Amino acid sequence: MKAAELLQALVAIPSVSGDERLIADTVSGWAEGWGARVQRKGHNVWFSVGSGPRRLLVNSHLDTVKPCAGWTYAPHAPEWREDRLYGLGSNDAKGCVTGMLVAARTLLKEGASLDGEIVFAFTAEEETGGQGLGTLLPELGPLDAAVVGEPTSLKPCTAQRGMLLLRCTAHGKSSHVAHAHSAGAVNAIHVAAGDIATLAELRFPSHPLLGEARAQVTQISGGLARNQIPDACEFFVDLRTTPSMDHAQVATGLGGVLKSEVKVHSARYLPKATASNQPIVRAAMAASGEQPVGSSTTSDWAFLGELPTVKVGPGDTLRSHLADEYLTLAELEAGAAFYTRLLRGYFEEAARG
């Protein structure tokens, strides 16, 4: 099958996070048919091409979000219209998966002589942070670099924001509303409002590829009755961090600035950056002809520790999770060619040191 047919077949398989069995079966069957020795763990699929001292991980995710409202095309009945494939996951990230599969098929067919091993891993539950790449890493063995497939318009992303979620609780003293001033009441919602205003004015150091980070309050709740001064108010803060920000230090610092109690709700999506002199970055720049960029969205790169990584793939990140998501044929074909150049080029750059 051509790349366009592979993509259409993948998009036709519903694969909302946690329900990737059928698409994993399909990818496994294709790779086995091309001569790969496929391994499985849950709904995660991986296989290797080549052998040698250096090992490169090539990863993208098989799952999608649930379809949102507003679709004018059937999300799971993809069709090509004027060189666009409309369907859920076409852009995020089955175009990347398809491009990587085409590159793998090309290398397997040619019996390419590589100065190393490419580990292709197509994983589950990226959209929900579940049983995907993070749980698979111990099975993959030592790695020297990685490519994570996400729609970046084929611009090599070498910096990625992290995500720090804070649960803040403002404490007060309750009373009847009518007696608030005489009873010494403290309105916890007012305390929270002051802290929220403080957060809105906070600025963190700017990053050259990602810009500045700002705290965003995304949920708030407080009060038991309309005629009672609330003694507690809880709000959540979402802070998309940059590589210069340490999550623990940021949380501690905010705890010293705010009147509310600050607790870390989630800190596992760490910000990431790869130096421009790394072989994987040099190879990605050569393969794309583009300079490195930053990415505001998180991905499975967050679970790769200090492994030199580039996030890159066909498609536009602004189309992700939207109604009538699509990928163009030109983007798909350019992506497949790009990945093939990148994988060959990485080992050449690594050999140069």
Side-chain angles (χ1 to χ4, degrees):
M1 289 192 288
K2 295 181 179 180
E5 296 169 314
L6 291 173
L7 177 60
Q8 188 168 9
L10 291 178
V11 176
I13 303 172
S15 58
V16 172
S17 294
D19 188 25
E20 303 96 340
R21 181 188 59 80
L22 183 55
I23 194 170
D25 289 345
T26 300
V27 170
S28 296
W30 288 345
E32 288 172 348
W34 302 333
R37 179 178 173 272
V38 176
Q39 300 183 72
R40 287 280 294 268
K41 181 179 181 181
H43 300 328
N44 301 293
V45 177
W46 75 98
F47 58 89
S48 292
V49 176
S51 62
R54 299 179 182 87
R55 301 184 79 239
L56 173 66
L57 172 65
V58 177
N59 163 255
S60 193
H61 62 95
L62 300 171
D63 62 315
T64 71
V65 296
K66 294 180 180 179
C68 63
W71 278 81
T72 61
Y73 300 99
H76 299 301
E79 53 182 305
W80 285 98
R81 293 198 176 192
E82 296 181 353
D83 290 332
R84 292 182 176 184
L85 185 76
Y86 291 91
L88 182 63
S90 55
N91 182 75
D92 183 16
K94 293 180 181 181
C96 298
V97 171
T98 302
M100 291 174 173
L101 285 171
V102 170
R105 181 176 64 182
T106 298
L107 295 173
L108 286 164
K109 183 179 179 180
E110 294 177 353
S113 177
L114 302 170
D115 187 23
E117 179 181 354
I118 304 172
V119 181
F120 290 91
F122 302 104
T123 48
E125 298 186 36
E126 187 271 348
E127 298 289 2
T128 57
Q131 301 297 306
L133 181 61
T135 65
L136 188 64
L137 287 173
E139 310 287 339
L140 302 181
L143 300 165
D144 296 293
V147 177
V148 173
E150 293 285 353
T152 69
S153 301
L154 292 184
K155 296 179 180 179
C157 167
T158 60
Q160 171 181 282
R161 289 188 184 273
M163 180 174 66
L164 175 62
L165 299 181
L166 301 174
R167 181 178 181 176
C168 303
T169 306
H171 297 286
K173 181 181 178 182
S174 185
S175 79
H176 193 290
V177 168
H179 308 308
H181 296 292
S182 60
V186 177
N187 190 315
I189 291 179
H190 292 176
V191 175
D195 282 344
I196 291 170
T198 297
L199 286 168
E201 297 301 319
L202 281 181
R203 297 293 182 270
F204 298 89
S206 183
H207 185 274
L209 294 180
L210 297 168
E212 66 178 3
R214 295 190 182 185
Q216 301 291 342
V217 176
T218 55
Q219 290 180 302
I220 185 169
S221 61
L224 298 175
R226 290 188 300 275
N227 61 352
Q228 182 183 38
I229 298 297
D231 61 3
C233 180
E234 181 180 89
F235 58 96
F236 283 87
V237 178
D238 186 323
L239 180 54
R240 298 304 168 111
T241 53
T242 65
S244 61
M245 300 169 68
D246 177 90
H247 282 183
Q249 291 180 3
V250 170
T252 300
L254 289 177
V257 170
L258 304 181
K259 295 179 180 178
S260 299
E261 178 185 7
V262 177
K263 292 185 177 180
V264 174
H265 183 72
S266 176
R268 69 192 189 111
Y269 282 94
L270 299 175
K272 295 293 178 181
T274 302
S276 60
N277 62 352
Q278 287 290 332
I280 190 61
V281 177
R282 300 199 308 264
M285 291 171 60
S288 66
E290 299 278 358
Q291 292 297 307
V293 298
S295 172
S296 294
T297 59
T298 61
S299 72
D300 278 339
W301 183 4
F303 305 120
L304 292 178
E306 299 302 315
L307 190 68
T309 300
V310 170
K311 179 167 77 173
V312 62
D316 187 336
T317 185
L318 297 179
R319 294 184 213 139
S320 300
H321 301 188
L322 298 183
D324 292 343
E325 177 185 353
Y326 70 88
L327 190 75
T328 71
L329 181 60
E331 289 171 330
L332 176 62
E333 292 178 341
F338 164 80
Y339 283 132
T340 304
R341 292 194 302 271
L342 170 60
L343 303 187
R344 288 190 173 116
Y346 165 70
F347 295 107
E348 296 172 0
E349 291 291 344
R352 295 189 184 103

